[in-house]
Amino acid sequence: MKIYKLTAFESNGEKILDEAFEANNDDEAKQIGEKRLNEIGALDKTHRCTSPTGQLLLFHM
């Protein structure tokens, strides 16, 4: 399993989420990231999910 990084921010720049999680592949990581963002109500806030190689899987401003 690979380790992915998920972060989300308020509009004032305050970090509201900064987590690492494991997934088998990029598609699974996107699903896990979207689910976690939805759980905390941050899908419409600035967020990003990056792969272990630095690739952006999810990004919203």
Side-chain angles (χ1 to χ4, degrees):
M1 293 188 81
K2 300 176 186 174
I3 297 177
Y4 294 81
K5 184 80 170 182
L6 182 63
T7 52
F9 304 88
E10 289 288 358
S11 58
N12 65 2
E14 176 188 353
K15 193 181 293 185
I16 56 173
L17 180 69
D18 188 5
E19 295 182 353
F21 64 93
E22 290 184 340
N24 290 312
N25 56 51
D26 291 353
D27 290 332
E28 182 181 10
K30 282 178 72 172
Q31 292 175 349
I32 292 169
E34 287 175 341
K35 181 181 177 188
R36 180 67 178 123
L37 290 166
N38 191 45
E39 288 172 355
I40 66 166
L43 274 175
D44 292 333
K45 298 185 186 291
T46 300
H47 63 263
R48 67 179 174 237
C49 180
T50 56
S51 74
T53 61
Q55 180 181 8
L56 278 174
L57 304 178
L58 295 173
F59 182 76
H60 178 74
M61 279 187 64

